[in-house]
């Protein structure tokens, strides 16, 4: 199997080198950049599978870099690694379509477990194409198509929709989604789930035969109205 390539962008060189060694021991290929601008150049040149981003950096901060990356690539995974733990910062990270937000300090083993879990889910076999209402969902391509218009989902949004689509008309518990998509039901991940459901709803909005129903403190149910 081809090695997973990681780009680590953080101006704390000493701790970054230690983290890099932990990751390389796990057989990940790791590139390192000490500021956002260099990180952008290395991302463009190497196209990694995962970007690990600090936020407070010179020349270009992590939020700015994440925004530039997302303008070019909807699929690459982005994890924020930062000591900025305020709710507003977390929400901004997920609004920029970050896939995880990990507060410093953290154990390298925790990060490695999250990375492993994310890529295992990516490789999990799911039905490639599903028809939901009048929308065609392709989980391999992470796309939805309605009335000839194709929209691209992030990898995480695609996983969420795939789970809901496999349980049409049934309530999917929040805890189930959090465990299967994020790996745990932390408060930050719970906030992220809310944000991602909002994005998915917006993209499905043109197809009025589909709705995602929220069940307070329980979960979500994907409903399809049969048309004649």
């Amino acid at each position: 199997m081809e090695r997973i390539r990681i780009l680590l962008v953080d101006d704390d060189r000493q701790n970054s080198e230690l983290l890099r060694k932990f990751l390389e021991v796990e057989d990940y290929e790791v590139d390192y950049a000490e500021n956002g601008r260099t990180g952008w150049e290395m991302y463009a040149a190497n196209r990694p599978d995962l970007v690990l981003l600090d936020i407070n950096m010179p020349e270009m901060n992590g939020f700015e870099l994440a925004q530039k990356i997302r303008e070019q690539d909807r699929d690459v995974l982005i994890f924020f690694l930062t000591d900025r733990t305020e709710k507003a910062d977390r929400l901004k990270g997920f609004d920029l379509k970050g896939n995880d937000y990990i507060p410093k300090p953290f154990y390298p083993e925790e990060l490695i477990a999250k990375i492993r879990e994310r890529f295992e889910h990516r490789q999990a076999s799911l039905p490639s194409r599903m028809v939901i209402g009048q929308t065609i969902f392709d989980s391999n391509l992470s796309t939805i198509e309605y009335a000839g218009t194709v929209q691209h989902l992030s990898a995480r949004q695609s996983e969420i929709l795939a789970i809901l689509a496999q349980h049409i008309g049934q309530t999917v518990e929040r805890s189930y989604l959090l465990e299967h998509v994020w790996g745990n039901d932390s408060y930050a991940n719970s906030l992220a789930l809310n944000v991602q459901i909002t994005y998915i709803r917006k993209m499905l909005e043109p197809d009025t035969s589909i709705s995602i129903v929220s069940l307070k403190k329980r979960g979500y149910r994907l409903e399809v109205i049969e048309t004649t």
Side-chain angles (χ1 to χ4, degrees):
M1 181 184 294
E2 187 176 350
R3 292 173 70 194
I4 292 168
R5 188 163 198 164
I6 298 173
L7 173 60
L8 171 60
V9 190
D10 193 324
D11 61 340
D12 186 339
R13 176 177 286 275
Q14 183 176 359
N15 285 330
S16 293
E17 287 298 332
L18 288 173
L19 179 58
R20 182 178 188 170
K21 289 177 182 178
F22 270 101
L23 293 167
E24 288 176 340
V25 166
E26 296 296 321
D27 204 33
Y28 297 114
E29 186 174 346
V30 185
D31 298 309
Y32 171 67
E34 61 185 355
N35 61 63
R37 190 168 303 281
T38 302
W40 170 245
E41 293 170 355
M42 294 182 72
Y43 162 79
N46 300 329
R47 293 289 175 170
D49 303 294
L50 167 65
V51 182
L52 303 177
L53 279 182
D54 187 25
I55 294 175
N56 293 326
M57 293 185 293
E59 300 193 43
M60 183 188 301
N61 69 40
F63 286 147
E64 292 168 335
L65 178 53
Q67 183 171 351
K68 286 177 70 70
I69 290 172
R70 277 293 177 246
E71 288 171 355
Q72 300 289 324
D73 191 337
R74 292 174 176 266
D75 296 324
V76 64
L77 297 178
I78 297 176
F79 287 7
F80 289 101
L81 310 178
T82 178
D83 55 9
R84 289 175 58 166
T85 58
E86 295 295 321
K87 178 180 177 181
D89 291 320
R90 290 175 177 272
L91 291 175
K92 184 171 183 178
F94 289 119
D95 189 53
L96 290 168
K97 298 183 175 62
N99 300 94
D100 213 329
Y101 196 104
I102 303 171
K104 294 180 179 178
F106 57 86
Y107 293 106
E109 295 85 355
E110 175 189 0
L111 173 61
I112 288 166
K114 285 176 174 286
I115 294 171
R116 186 178 297 121
E117 180 268 336
R118 276 304 276 119
F119 282 99
E120 284 175 355
H121 276 300
R122 273 198 164 186
Q123 295 162 4
S125 59
L126 291 168
S128 176
R129 288 170 66 87
M130 311 178 197
V131 178
I132 310 170
Q134 300 172 44
T135 295
I136 299 171
F137 168 47
D138 191 316
S139 59
N140 286 346
L141 298 177
S142 295
T143 60
I144 55 174
E145 180 179 350
Y146 173 74
T149 299
V150 177
Q151 299 184 79
H152 293 268
L153 302 162
S154 70
R156 184 148 283 171
Q157 289 161 1
S158 184
E159 289 183 28
I160 294 168
L161 183 55
I163 293 172
L164 294 176
Q166 289 172 331
H167 299 84
I168 290 177
Q170 303 174 37
T171 299
V172 179
E173 301 289 336
R174 288 182 63 86
S175 59
Y176 182 90
L177 286 167
L178 289 166
E179 288 294 335
H180 282 74
V181 178
W182 278 270
N184 65 71
D185 60 355
S186 71
Y187 176 69
N189 291 340
S190 185
L191 289 177
L193 174 58
N194 296 341
V195 172
Q196 298 297 350
I197 289 289
T198 298
Y199 279 121
I200 295 169
R201 279 192 176 121
K202 186 68 176 177
M203 286 187 278
L204 293 175
E205 200 171 67
D207 186 350
T208 56
S209 68
I210 303 173
S211 64
I212 298 178
V213 178
S214 297
L215 292 94
K216 190 174 182 180
K217 296 184 179 181
R218 281 195 60 195
Y220 300 94
R221 183 170 63 243
L222 180 63
E223 295 186 348
V224 177
I225 302 170
E226 297 294 335
T227 57
T228 58

